[in-house]
């Protein structure tokens, strides 16, 4: 397949994923408001700290999906159907083993910790334990779905991926909307109904995979060589997964121990906002990832390097028109969304969305490393960084640091991980770090500095009073930053095509008039 055909496929898939993002974002924004009001700040904080179990096994899902997707995509690039089928059967086996181990851990150590160490009112312990069990079950279902969702992405069937995401968002909205009318303990009901949502999405992926792809099946295999390769790949990734679990779930526990459930609620809301923001680049990168791996499988390293650089730069270009207006108008936007904004939420949101810029640059580099498949060095170095920052965060909180300072220390690992990944990709594939700085870092920093000029001026000389003023400020910020990005980062050829299209439409309108 030619480069132009690949680019068209990436563009088509990106459009599908952005449609998904718009629908899911709108639904999730309103769902979050409904859930916060239905549960209350305290119960929302309890769900967030216990729902960290979903995040914990969610990392296992990410780990397995990444490993499975990498091997499926590599086999697709090689064009070997038998090898593809064997990979899928081994993937099913890995998922079952992972679920078994984590359920055992969750029902022993995890359950003991929930009941003996978390800062939860005794009157809410029954509900907390119920939500914990629901979280474990939901996470196990999501992990079992990993081979089928990975097959969808490897085959670049983004319409299926987008459809399941929309179904997931709509069902969660239905759950949030119905809570006040069902009666009973809303926290218990919410945890229970989310299990049903996970099961429905799993069934959709299962049916779609079995119907669309030859390699998909419910069979299992312990094929020695393939199992060894995938287990080794996943095993080294597991090191970083455990570090991420300690960092994210452990940090949630630190917030609970030092500051209480209200701060957990603030972090939960910040994570939701950041999740919506990161969809701006993750959709684009999801469309690009299979091509990066396929280029490596076909020995086309130069094309792979070029695509990595473009994906990093354009990902930031997609983020800036949202991140900058959001950071300058956080309080007003959160009040518009939530009504009542828990303490620390504004600061947490600003920190998270700014860090997402580093993640946007780093993820394509990580994809290049994963395409190579040599995972010991990247995962060990990343784990050392993650594990090193956790005790520093703990000591800062123990010595009286505010929740905001602790949060800033906690997320400061992301820029370091970016530097490490650049070095490793250079080591594995001769990727030019100098070229990356010239092609990506310097242009992005320059555009970022230019993009904040007008938002800073508006904050200094214009005071928003009410919804109309807030809307005016946000629109001006978005239009200005989009204008800067369009005329600096967007390629000249695309600008010309866009402007020609715009002029043609304008001339057609004149003719009609």
């Amino acid at each position: 397949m030619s480069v132009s055909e690949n680019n068209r496929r990436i563009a088509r898939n990106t459009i599908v994923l952005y449609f998904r993002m718009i629908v899911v974002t709108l639904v999730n924004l309103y769902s979050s408001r409904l859930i916060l009001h239905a549960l209350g700040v305290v119960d929302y904080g309890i769900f967030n700290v216990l729902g960290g179990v979903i995040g914990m096994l969610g990392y296992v899902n990410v780990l397995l999906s990444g490993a499975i997707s990498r091997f499926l995509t590599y086999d697709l690039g090689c064009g070997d159907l038998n090898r593809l089928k064997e990979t899928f059967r081994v993937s099913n086996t890995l998922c079952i083993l992972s679920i078994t181990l984590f359920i055992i851990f969750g029902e022993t150590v995890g359950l003991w910790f929930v009941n003996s160490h978390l800062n939860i009112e005794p009157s809410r312990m029954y509900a907390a334990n119920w939500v914990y069990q629901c979280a474990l079950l939901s996470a196990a279902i999501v992990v079992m779905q990993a081979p089928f969702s990975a097959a969808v992405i490897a085959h670049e069937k983004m319409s299926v991926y987008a459809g399941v995401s929309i179904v997931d968002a709509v069902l969660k909205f239905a759950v949030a909307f119905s809570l006040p009318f069902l009666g009973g303990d809303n926290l218990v009901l919410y945890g229970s109904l989310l299990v049903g949502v996970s099961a429905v999405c799993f069934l959709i992926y299962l049916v779609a995979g079995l119907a669309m792809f030859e390699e998909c099946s419910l069979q299992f295999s312990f094929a020695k060589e393939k199992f060894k390769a995938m287990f080794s790949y996943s095993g080294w990734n597991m090191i970083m997964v455990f570090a991420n679990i300690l960092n994210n779930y452990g940090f949630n526990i630190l917030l609970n121990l030092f500051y209480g459930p209200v701060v957990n609620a603030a972090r939960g809301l910040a994570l939701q906002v950041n999740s919506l923001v990161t969809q701006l680049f993750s959709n684009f990168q999801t469309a690009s990832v299979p091509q990066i791996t396929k280029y490596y499988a076909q020995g086309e390293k130069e094309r792979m390097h070029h695509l990595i650089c473009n994906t990093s730069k354009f990902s930031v270009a997609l983020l800036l028109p949202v991140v900058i207006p959001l950071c300058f108008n956080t309080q007003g936007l959160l009040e518009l969304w939530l009504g009542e904004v828990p303490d620390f939420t504004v600061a947490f949101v600003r920190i998270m969305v700014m860090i997402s810029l580093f993640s946007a640059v780093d993820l394509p580099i990580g994809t290049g490393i994963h395409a190579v498949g040599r995972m010991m060095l990247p995962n060990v170095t990343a784990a050392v960084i993650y594990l090193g920052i956790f005790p520093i965060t703990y000591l800062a909180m123990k010595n009286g640091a505010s929740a905001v300072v602790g949060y800033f220390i906690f997320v400061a690992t992301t820029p370091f991980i970016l530097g490490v990944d650049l070095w490793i990709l250079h080591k594995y594939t001769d990727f030019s770090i100098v070229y990356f700085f010239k092609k990506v870092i310097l242009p992005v920093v320059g555009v970022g500095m230019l993009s904040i000029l007008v938002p800073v001026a508006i904050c200094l000389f214009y005071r928003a009073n009410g919804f109309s003023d807030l809307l005016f400020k946000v629109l001006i910020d978005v239009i200005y930053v989009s204008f800067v990005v369009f005329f600096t980062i967007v390629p000249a050829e695309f600008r010309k095509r866009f402007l020609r299209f715009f002029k043609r439409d304008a001339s057609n309108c004149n003719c009609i008039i």
Side-chain angles (χ1 to χ4, degrees):
M1 186 178 291
S2 66
V3 175
S4 60
E5 289 174 337
N6 283 335
N7 289 340
R8 282 195 293 271
R9 174 179 287 185
I10 291 173
R12 184 171 59 251
N13 288 335
T14 302
I15 291 171
V16 171
L17 291 172
Y18 271 97
F19 172 75
R20 160 202 176 264
M21 181 203 71
I22 292 170
V23 175
V24 171
T25 298
L26 293 175
V27 174
N28 283 344
L29 281 172
Y30 195 62
S31 297
S32 299
R33 181 187 179 105
L34 292 175
I35 292 166
L36 181 61
H37 287 176
L39 298 182
V41 174
V42 173
D43 272 5
Y44 187 87
I46 292 172
F47 177 80
N48 183 252
V49 71
L50 292 172
V53 177
I54 298 176
M56 182 179 72
L57 283 182
Y59 278 113
V60 179
N61 179 53
V62 170
L63 165 73
L64 292 172
S65 294
I68 295 165
S69 184
R70 186 266 173 191
F71 279 91
L72 290 176
T73 305
Y74 192 94
D75 292 344
L76 279 171
C78 296
D80 189 333
L81 180 59
N82 290 328
R83 186 172 168 180
L84 199 60
K85 290 181 177 179
E86 185 179 85
T87 297
F88 196 89
R89 290 193 294 267
V90 172
S91 300
N92 286 335
T93 304
L94 280 172
C95 287
I96 289 295
L97 291 175
S98 299
I99 290 171
T100 302
L101 290 174
F102 272 88
I103 290 294
I104 291 172
F105 178 83
E107 294 291 1
T108 53
V109 177
L111 192 61
W112 164 78
F113 190 85
V114 166
N115 285 280
S116 61
H117 284 76
L118 288 186
N119 183 10
I120 299 173
E121 290 290 330
S123 61
R124 302 304 294 148
M125 283 306 300
Y126 170 78
N129 276 279
W130 185 276
V131 169
Y132 180 80
Q133 296 298 330
C134 291
L136 278 175
L137 181 55
S138 294
I141 293 171
V142 171
V143 171
M144 197 61 230
Q145 140 191 321
F148 298 92
S149 59
V152 166
I153 293 174
H155 284 274
E156 301 180 62
K157 300 295 183 182
M158 298 307 169
S159 57
V160 177
Y161 175 75
V164 178
S165 298
I166 291 172
V167 169
D168 178 73
V170 171
L171 289 177
K172 287 178 178 176
F173 171 79
V175 169
F177 183 80
S178 63
L179 279 180
F181 306 102
L182 295 177
D185 191 313
N186 283 344
L187 185 58
V188 170
L189 286 170
Y190 185 55
S192 303
L193 292 172
L194 287 185
V195 176
V197 174
S198 299
V200 170
C201 292
F202 167 67
L203 288 174
I204 295 173
Y205 270 123
L206 175 65
V207 172
L210 293 175
M212 297 174 66
F213 312 126
E214 290 185 74
E215 72 272 15
C216 288
S217 70
L218 292 173
Q219 298 176 344
F220 301 90
S221 172
F222 283 95
K224 184 177 179 181
E225 292 302 320
K226 179 65 70 173
F227 188 88
K228 181 180 178 181
M230 294 185 71
F231 185 79
S232 175
Y233 181 94
S234 301
W236 286 116
N237 284 344
M238 188 67 74
I239 293 174
M240 192 171 70
V241 166
F242 278 121
N244 267 317
I245 289 172
L246 176 60
N247 250 28
N248 285 279
Y249 188 56
F251 181 71
N252 229 9
I253 292 171
L254 288 183
L255 289 178
N256 180 265
L257 294 176
F258 285 103
Y259 310 108
V262 172
V263 180
N264 287 121
R267 187 185 183 231
L269 292 168
L271 289 174
Q272 286 195 44
V273 173
N274 190 59
S275 176
L276 297 174
V277 169
T278 55
Q279 286 184 43
L280 291 167
F281 68 83
S282 64
N283 289 319
F284 172 61
Q285 293 187 2
T286 299
S288 304
V289 162
Q291 289 302 323
I292 292 174
T293 304
K294 287 173 184 176
Y295 278 148
Y296 181 79
Q298 295 160 4
E300 299 182 15
K301 290 185 182 180
E302 186 175 341
R303 287 185 176 181
M304 182 184 80
H305 294 167
H306 183 70
L307 182 56
I308 287 172
C309 289
N310 281 340
T311 303
S312 292
K313 184 166 66 174
F314 297 151
S315 296
V316 176
L318 291 168
L319 271 184
L320 286 176
V322 173
V323 167
I324 291 177
L326 177 58
C327 285
F328 281 91
N329 301 279
T330 312
Q331 182 71 42
L333 290 171
L334 287 177
E335 288 176 355
L336 181 64
W337 173 35
L338 300 170
E340 179 185 356
V341 182
D343 293 340
F344 301 104
T345 305
V346 172
F348 285 3
V349 167
R350 286 172 174 161
I351 293 171
M352 285 299 298
V353 298
M354 291 305 296
I355 288 295
S356 67
L357 293 170
F358 290 95
S359 297
V361 174
D362 181 50
L363 285 174
I365 300 168
T367 299
I369 295 171
H370 281 259
V372 176
R374 295 159 56 189
M375 302 310 301
M376 182 183 74
L377 180 61
N379 284 301
V380 170
T381 52
V384 168
I385 294 173
Y386 284 137
L387 294 175
I389 205 68
F390 185 80
I392 295 173
T393 307
Y394 170 77
L395 289 174
M397 291 180 174
K398 188 175 178 63
N399 285 281
S402 71
V404 174
V405 172
Y407 204 58
F408 184 80
I409 295 172
F410 169 69
V411 299
T413 55
T414 308
F416 290 100
I417 296 294
L418 171 60
V420 170
D421 284 347
L422 273 174
W423 168 70
I424 292 172
L425 187 61
H426 167 73
K427 178 180 176 67
Y428 284 175
T429 69
D430 294 323
F431 182 75
S432 174
I433 298 177
V434 173
Y435 176 75
F436 184 81
F437 267 81
K438 290 181 179 178
K439 181 81 172 177
V440 180
I441 301 298
L442 293 180
V444 162
V445 171
V447 171
M449 296 298 291
L450 185 61
S451 296
I452 65 172
L453 294 180
V454 168
V456 167
I458 291 176
C459 282
L460 290 175
F461 301 108
Y462 185 84
R463 291 289 178 266
N465 296 303
F467 172 74
S468 58
D469 286 348
L470 173 66
L471 182 62
F472 173 77
K473 284 183 62 182
V474 172
L475 284 177
I476 293 298
D477 288 351
V478 170
I479 292 170
Y480 169 72
V481 178
S482 299
F483 180 87
V484 171
V485 168
F486 184 75
F487 285 98
T488 53
I489 293 182
V490 173
E493 181 182 353
F494 180 85
R495 288 202 304 270
K496 290 177 183 177
R497 288 181 181 179
F498 178 84
L499 293 173
R500 281 200 303 267
F501 178 79
F502 181 79
K503 289 177 181 177
R504 185 171 66 247
D505 281 359
S507 63
N508 290 338
C509 290
N510 290 333
C511 291
I512 293 172
I513 294 171

